[in-house]
mmCIF file of all heavy atoms in Angstrom:
data_model
loop_
_atom_site.group_PDB
_atom_site.id
_atom_site.type_symbol
_atom_site.label_atom_id
_atom_site.label_comp_id
_atom_site.label_asym_id
_atom_site.label_seq_id
_atom_site.Cartn_x
_atom_site.Cartn_y
_atom_site.Cartn_z
ATOM 1 N N ASN A 243 218.963 -46.355 62.556
ATOM 2 C CA ASN A 243 218.935 -45.107 63.272
ATOM 3 C C ASN A 243 219.122 -43.894 62.349
ATOM 4 O O ASN A 243 219.554 -42.836 62.762
ATOM 5 C CB ASN A 243 219.996 -45.064 64.372
ATOM 6 C CG ASN A 243 221.353 -45.202 63.835
ATOM 7 O OD1 ASN A 243 221.606 -45.626 62.730
ATOM 8 N ND2 ASN A 243 222.414 -44.822 64.583
ATOM 9 N N VAL A 244 219.041 -44.199 61.002
ATOM 10 C CA VAL A 244 219.048 -43.097 60.030
ATOM 11 C C VAL A 244 217.730 -43.123 59.256
ATOM 12 O O VAL A 244 217.439 -44.142 58.804
ATOM 13 C CB VAL A 244 220.252 -43.269 59.033
ATOM 14 C CG1 VAL A 244 220.291 -42.193 58.010
ATOM 15 C CG2 VAL A 244 221.550 -43.412 59.759
ATOM 16 N N ARG A 245 217.047 -41.944 59.296
ATOM 17 C CA ARG A 245 215.693 -41.856 58.699
ATOM 18 C C ARG A 245 215.678 -40.689 57.797
ATOM 19 O O ARG A 245 216.246 -39.659 58.029
ATOM 20 C CB ARG A 245 214.600 -41.821 59.673
ATOM 21 C CG ARG A 245 214.391 -43.008 60.622
ATOM 22 C CD ARG A 245 213.781 -44.123 59.911
ATOM 23 N NE ARG A 245 214.828 -45.071 59.537
ATOM 24 C CZ ARG A 245 214.596 -46.324 58.913
ATOM 25 N NH1 ARG A 245 213.427 -46.650 58.694
ATOM 26 N NH2 ARG A 245 215.615 -47.103 58.597
ATOM 27 N N MET A 246 214.804 -40.782 56.784
ATOM 28 C CA MET A 246 214.509 -39.585 55.926
ATOM 29 C C MET A 246 213.633 -38.626 56.763
ATOM 30 O O MET A 246 212.602 -39.032 57.317
ATOM 31 C CB MET A 246 213.650 -40.018 54.679
ATOM 32 C CG MET A 246 214.323 -41.065 53.839
ATOM 33 S SD MET A 246 215.526 -40.286 52.732
ATOM 34 C CE MET A 246 214.372 -39.844 51.410
ATOM 35 N N ALA A 247 214.012 -37.346 56.745
ATOM 36 C CA ALA A 247 213.157 -36.387 57.491
ATOM 37 C C ALA A 247 211.991 -36.001 56.457
ATOM 38 O O ALA A 247 212.070 -36.412 55.346
ATOM 39 C CB ALA A 247 214.013 -35.186 57.849
ATOM 40 N N TRP A 248 211.020 -35.346 56.968
ATOM 41 C CA TRP A 248 209.889 -34.861 56.177
ATOM 42 C C TRP A 248 209.529 -33.423 56.580
ATOM 43 O O TRP A 248 209.828 -33.006 57.701
ATOM 44 C CB TRP A 248 208.797 -35.811 56.141
ATOM 45 C CG TRP A 248 208.084 -35.976 57.413
ATOM 46 C CD1 TRP A 248 207.084 -35.249 58.001
ATOM 47 C CD2 TRP A 248 208.377 -36.982 58.452
ATOM 48 N NE1 TRP A 248 206.717 -35.667 59.177
ATOM 49 C CE2 TRP A 248 207.459 -36.785 59.533
ATOM 50 C CE3 TRP A 248 209.263 -38.057 58.478
ATOM 51 C CZ2 TRP A 248 207.483 -37.572 60.668
ATOM 52 C CZ3 TRP A 248 209.333 -38.777 59.683
ATOM 53 C CH2 TRP A 248 208.419 -38.619 60.712
ATOM 54 N N ASP A 249 208.879 -32.795 55.733
ATOM 55 C CA ASP A 249 208.402 -31.377 55.984
ATOM 56 C C ASP A 249 207.488 -31.449 57.254
ATOM 57 O O ASP A 249 206.505 -32.089 57.200
ATOM 58 C CB ASP A 249 207.709 -30.798 54.828
ATOM 59 C CG ASP A 249 208.713 -30.393 53.734
ATOM 60 O OD1 ASP A 249 209.780 -31.036 53.615
ATOM 61 O OD2 ASP A 249 208.421 -29.416 53.052
ATOM 62 N N GLY A 250 207.756 -30.622 58.235
ATOM 63 C CA GLY A 250 206.903 -30.532 59.422
ATOM 64 C C GLY A 250 207.425 -31.405 60.548
ATOM 65 O O GLY A 250 206.753 -31.389 61.652
ATOM 66 N N LEU A 251 208.405 -32.158 60.305
ATOM 67 C CA LEU A 251 208.817 -33.108 61.289
ATOM 68 C C LEU A 251 209.307 -32.367 62.594
ATOM 69 O O LEU A 251 209.992 -31.342 62.435
ATOM 70 C CB LEU A 251 210.097 -33.969 60.790
ATOM 71 C CG LEU A 251 210.934 -34.718 61.740
ATOM 72 C CD1 LEU A 251 210.138 -35.968 62.349
ATOM 73 C CD2 LEU A 251 212.203 -35.281 61.126
ATOM 74 N N GLU A 252 208.898 -32.873 63.805
ATOM 75 C CA GLU A 252 209.304 -32.182 65.026
ATOM 76 C C GLU A 252 210.127 -33.166 65.789
ATOM 77 O O GLU A 252 209.779 -34.292 65.870
ATOM 78 C CB GLU A 252 208.124 -31.823 65.813
ATOM 79 C CG GLU A 252 207.311 -30.653 65.119
ATOM 80 C CD GLU A 252 206.207 -30.070 65.991
ATOM 81 O OE1 GLU A 252 206.202 -30.244 67.213
ATOM 82 O OE2 GLU A 252 205.336 -29.424 65.449
ATOM 83 N N ILE A 253 211.237 -32.683 66.309
ATOM 84 C CA ILE A 253 212.291 -33.528 66.982
ATOM 85 C C ILE A 253 212.613 -32.953 68.433
ATOM 86 O O ILE A 253 212.842 -31.713 68.443
ATOM 87 C CB ILE A 253 213.557 -33.631 66.250
ATOM 88 C CG1 ILE A 253 213.353 -33.951 64.771
ATOM 89 C CG2 ILE A 253 214.434 -34.616 66.912
ATOM 90 C CD1 ILE A 253 214.659 -33.733 63.999
ATOM 91 N N PRO A 254 212.383 -33.719 69.471
ATOM 92 C CA PRO A 254 212.818 -33.185 70.775
ATOM 93 C C PRO A 254 214.274 -33.002 70.811
ATOM 94 O O PRO A 254 215.045 -33.894 70.358
ATOM 95 C CB PRO A 254 212.282 -34.182 71.766
ATOM 96 C CG PRO A 254 212.109 -35.397 71.063
ATOM 97 C CD PRO A 254 211.931 -35.092 69.591
ATOM 98 N N VAL A 255 214.826 -31.929 71.318
ATOM 99 C CA VAL A 255 216.314 -31.735 71.531
ATOM 100 C C VAL A 255 216.634 -31.250 72.990
ATOM 101 O O VAL A 255 215.693 -30.708 73.669
ATOM 102 C CB VAL A 255 216.777 -30.610 70.569
ATOM 103 C CG1 VAL A 255 216.525 -31.006 69.057
ATOM 104 C CG2 VAL A 255 216.265 -29.261 70.872
#
Side-chain angles (χ1 to χ4, degrees):
N243 66 341
V244 181
R245 297 285 98 177
M246 301 277 276
W248 63 87
D249 285 32
L251 171 67
E252 294 187 16
I253 311 168
V255 302

